[in-house]
Amino acid sequence: MCVLGQPTNHAALIGVGAYPASTGWAPLVSANDMELISLTLQDVGFASENIRILQDEQATRSGIESFLRNQIAPRLKTGDLLVLHFSGHGQQAADDNEDEDDDLDECWVPYDSPKNFQAGVYEGENLLRDDVIGEILDLLLDKVGEGGHIFLSVDACHSGTSTRGLGTARGTDIIMADPAKQREGLFSTRRDQPQSDPELVTTPQRQNLVVFTSSSPTQLSYEQPRPNGVFGAYTYELCKSLRTLDARATIQDLYNDVQVKIQNLNLSQKPTAEGNLDRLVFAGRLTPPVPAYRIIKPLAPDTMLLAAGSLKGVYPGSLMAIYPAGTADTAAATPVAIGQVTQADAITSVLALTTSISALSTKNTRAYLSFAAPPPIDISIRLRNLKPQSKERITLALKDFPFIRVVDQSALLIIEEAHDSLFLWTPDERLIWADQVKANNGFKLIQAIKKHVEATALRQMASNDPAYSASLDLLVNKDNKWEVFTGESIAEGQKVRLQITNKGTAKFFYSLVDIQPDDSVFPLIPGPGEDANIYQLAPGTNWKSKSFVLSPTLGNRVREIDLYRQARSTG
């Protein structure tokens, strides 16, 4: 509801996934993103009538411009907040006004924009270039004024090089430009240079604009399968962060949280952020859901549908207690009923109670989480180019493990056969395991998959208890002073140290492990024979490792990549 004179929260969500086959673009799950982010925004303070969605065939070049200029802009007034999100493919195109250092414009790919350049037929006329996005943003920023705020979020990649095409990426390394000019190297000299800014929009610096992107212009952005569906990895983690952040969190806090979540997925994409990151998220109007979950409706006298799912850390096996709404101290109150979560998707869950309660009493009660079950182990695997005999043997081996699902499209892992060798990949082309085709490949693959599951669990392990909060920093030596490293890359031979800091209120024990790119895990501390009791930190204290020098990667990963190259070059 919009109250006259009062600032209003608005959202404009644009998703393109069902690209026509004639465009050459692979389909995306942008429709899932639209539903997820819409429901998330409603949970954190946005009225449903103020969330507008433009999707697929409506999201043509002219459709997007008209949507933002003629539908969204007139609804805005001074002081309003606008969340503008785009999920779809991204592409780079030859700069048409000489305002880009790398001679390339970053573009959103509308529904009606083909992938390939055809001289005299299609030369990128329907791409939504960063210059045009910037012009539209100027219009919207003028509408909300200095007291308003615009949060632009983009889940698309604008470059990158996918040599294997293993995972579903939201973009391409094919530049929308004359192939002859590309062969002349017109865009190559500066394209690979590090860029200081994301360059996804061209607009004057404004204090009331923040831009989040799913990856840098030279990276791919990936889709990720979840037990409850496939989503843009960045969109899913952004929604997860918005649902769990403190109401006074800054945009820097939000960015840090999203970045860590993406890193924990071990994908080769790094979100970017630009603008005034010291501002409060959504100009201080973020209203995270309370930890007491609403009962959507009774499914039976002893079964409830809750407004809580995996985005809020609620998984099957979690225990819930039903209390009167507004209960502040559950320890001093008697629950109306208790139960266990039997099913959960991203935003809802099914709670089976030990006793029946009336539908009338559910209206004034809430479900409180008393035990948080861990995320279920769910590994989706795609079999790619396997010969019949290999496929039969591997499929048989995988059937013994119920947490492994064989799927046809987006998957967390890919098993590929190439010239008498087998390879286990992640969607972003990280090689986990490789060997020549043998009778015992099934056993070895299962061991490699288990190792991946263990490493993934370690990467994503976290405590939600603020009493146990820690940070791990890399320290670099500059002018004989140790400073926290905040850059993108570090030179080989640089002297560094690791630092663990207790940022919570309770003493804790700690350990340090090294997780290699092939998912091998090596304990570092405590070392062999060391007393684990010496590795504990009181609140406010830290531990620093001895200094060491960075060296290039060696070992199995080099051998496995060489094996892959040899296999691809033979025959």
Side-chain angles (χ1 to χ4, degrees):
M1 178 180 296
C2 178
V3 180
L4 187 63
Q6 293 294 318
T8 305
N9 295 342
H10 296 274
L13 312 180
I14 304 169
V16 191
Y19 288 91
S22 60
T23 64
W25 290 106
L28 301 175
V29 294
S30 299
N32 293 354
D33 291 0
M34 295 297 97
E35 180 182 17
L36 185 63
I37 199 167
S38 174
L39 291 170
T40 296
L41 291 175
Q42 291 177 57
D43 274 355
V44 298
F46 288 66
S48 59
E49 61 266 29
N50 292 328
I51 299 174
R52 298 296 179 94
I53 298 176
L54 189 76
Q55 200 165 318
D56 291 332
E57 64 272 8
Q58 298 176 328
T60 60
R61 161 66 189 269
S62 61
I64 294 175
E65 282 204 61
S66 177
F67 174 65
L68 295 176
R69 294 181 186 274
N70 302 325
Q71 294 187 44
I72 300 302
R75 295 170 58 85
L76 301 177
K77 64 182 182 300
T78 300
D80 281 355
L81 161 68
L82 172 66
V83 173
L84 172 56
H85 178 89
F86 174 77
S87 281
H89 279 297
Q91 188 173 28
Q92 289 183 309
D95 179 19
D96 60 357
N97 60 358
E98 299 183 353
D99 68 339
E100 300 284 355
D101 290 338
D102 58 0
D103 299 317
L104 295 168
D105 282 333
E106 275 69 49
C107 312
W108 297 358
V109 179
Y111 180 82
D112 58 344
S113 181
K115 184 177 185 178
N116 295 303
F117 179 95
Q118 290 181 277
V121 178
Y122 182 72
E123 300 183 4
E125 295 84 359
N126 292 341
L127 286 171
L128 199 62
R129 294 173 180 263
D130 51 11
D131 308 86
V132 177
I133 298 169
E135 292 174 5
I136 295 173
L137 280 172
D138 281 337
L139 169 65
L140 301 175
L141 287 164
D142 287 340
K143 296 288 291 187
V144 301
E146 293 184 2
H149 183 59
I150 292 181
F151 182 93
L152 171 62
S153 170
V154 181
D155 195 345
C157 46
H158 295 256
S159 183
T161 302
S162 178
T163 57
R164 304 293 307 120
L166 298 176
T168 302
R170 296 188 164 187
T172 179
D173 59 337
I174 298 174
I175 299 173
M176 179 58 66
D178 187 338
K181 293 182 179 180
Q182 295 186 56
R183 287 193 294 271
E184 292 170 7
L186 179 63
F187 310 107
S188 62
T189 55
R190 283 179 283 184
R191 182 177 175 218
D192 295 332
Q193 304 256 345
Q195 299 186 29
S196 58
D197 297 311
E199 293 190 5
L200 296 182
V201 294
T202 302
T203 189
Q205 291 297 317
R206 302 264 194 126
Q207 288 298 303
N208 54 351
L209 170 67
V210 168
V211 182
F212 273 31
T213 69
S214 55
S215 60
S216 76
T218 56
Q219 291 180 325
L220 295 171
S221 297
Y222 288 91
E223 298 188 340
Q224 274 272 295
R226 304 294 176 123
N228 44 283
V230 180
F231 303 87
Y234 158 81
T235 297
Y236 190 92
E237 300 305 335
L238 174 66
C239 290
K240 196 172 181 180
S241 293
L242 288 173
R243 289 171 177 267
T244 54
L245 274 184
D246 182 85
R248 305 304 293 175
T250 65
I251 295 169
Q252 183 70 60
D253 294 329
L254 174 62
Y255 172 66
N256 291 344
D257 197 54
V258 173
Q259 187 179 35
V260 168
K261 284 179 166 59
I262 293 292
Q263 287 175 340
N264 287 343
L265 296 174
N266 208 31
L267 292 173
S268 56
Q269 69 180 83
K270 182 180 179 181
T272 69
E274 60 176 323
N276 182 2
L277 306 187
D278 293 328
R279 293 191 58 159
L280 296 180
V281 175
F282 297 166
R285 300 179 211 167
L286 178 71
T287 55
V290 295
Y293 306 118
R294 179 173 56 88
I295 298 174
I296 298 175
K297 62 180 180 180
L299 300 177
D302 60 351
T303 308
M304 304 292 147
L305 182 65
L306 305 181
S310 59
L311 284 175
K312 297 180 181 179
V314 176
Y315 300 100
S318 296
L319 301 181
M320 294 277 190
I322 307 295
Y323 290 93
T327 300
D329 184 5
T330 56
T334 301
V336 176
I338 59 174
Q340 185 174 49
V341 174
T342 58
Q343 302 174 45
D345 58 25
I347 54 178
T348 64
S349 58
V350 175
L351 178 66
L353 301 175
T354 58
T355 57
S356 299
I357 60 175
S358 68
L360 183 63
S361 65
T362 62
K363 294 183 179 180
N364 298 310
T365 55
R366 295 290 184 271
Y368 291 72
L369 187 64
S370 55
F371 169 75
I377 297 175
D378 186 88
I379 297 294
S380 55
I381 292 181
R382 179 185 171 196
L383 305 181
R384 191 172 190 261
N385 300 329
L386 295 187
K387 295 179 181 178
Q389 187 175 3
S390 298
K391 184 175 183 179
E392 181 181 0
R393 186 165 59 244
I394 290 172
T395 302
L396 186 63
L398 297 179
K399 281 184 177 179
D400 292 334
F401 300 89
F403 61 87
I404 296 177
R405 295 181 295 114
V406 177
V407 298
D408 294 329
Q409 294 298 325
S410 297
L412 291 174
L413 293 172
I414 297 96
I415 299 173
E416 181 183 33
E417 184 172 359
H419 301 285
D420 299 323
S421 293
L422 286 175
F423 304 89
L424 182 63
W425 300 93
T426 61
D428 58 341
E429 302 178 17
R430 182 167 58 89
L431 185 61
I432 295 176
W433 172 88
D435 201 356
Q436 294 179 340
V437 175
K438 300 174 184 177
N440 63 349
N441 278 143
F443 172 78
K444 290 184 176 181
L445 263 174
I446 293 298
Q447 296 305 110
I449 293 169
K450 286 182 176 179
K451 187 170 70 171
H452 175 76
V453 171
E454 292 170 357
T456 300
L458 282 173
R459 288 188 180 103
Q460 299 182 10
M461 186 170 62
S463 170
N464 293 324
D465 189 341
Y468 297 97
S469 177
S471 66
L472 173 64
D473 297 305
L474 180 68
L475 305 180
V476 295
N477 193 293
K478 293 184 178 180
D479 300 324
N480 293 321
K481 293 182 180 180
W482 291 100
E483 300 178 2
V484 175
F485 177 70
T486 57
E488 293 289 331
S489 61
I490 193 165
E492 179 185 334
Q494 171 72 52
K495 186 178 290 187
V496 297
R497 301 173 75 177
L498 294 175
Q499 175 178 275
I500 299 174
T501 304
N502 185 342
K503 293 188 172 183
T505 59
K507 180 188 293 187
F508 60 66
F509 292 88
Y510 63 94
S511 61
L512 188 64
V513 298
D514 176 25
I515 306 175
Q516 294 288 309
D518 67 351
D519 291 330
S520 296
V521 178
F522 299 99
L524 300 179
I525 57 172
E530 280 192 304
D531 182 5
N533 289 315
I534 66 175
Y535 291 103
Q536 55 181 301
L537 285 175
T541 63
N542 60 49
W543 167 88
K544 295 184 179 70
S545 72
K546 295 179 180 179
S547 64
F548 58 96
V549 175
L550 292 181
S551 58
T553 302
L554 299 172
N556 289 338
R557 179 162 173 75
V558 175
R559 181 190 69 80
E560 289 164 355
I561 291 176
D562 285 343
L563 175 63
Y564 173 73
R565 288 173 177 164
Q566 292 169 15
R568 295 296 293 174
S569 64
T570 57

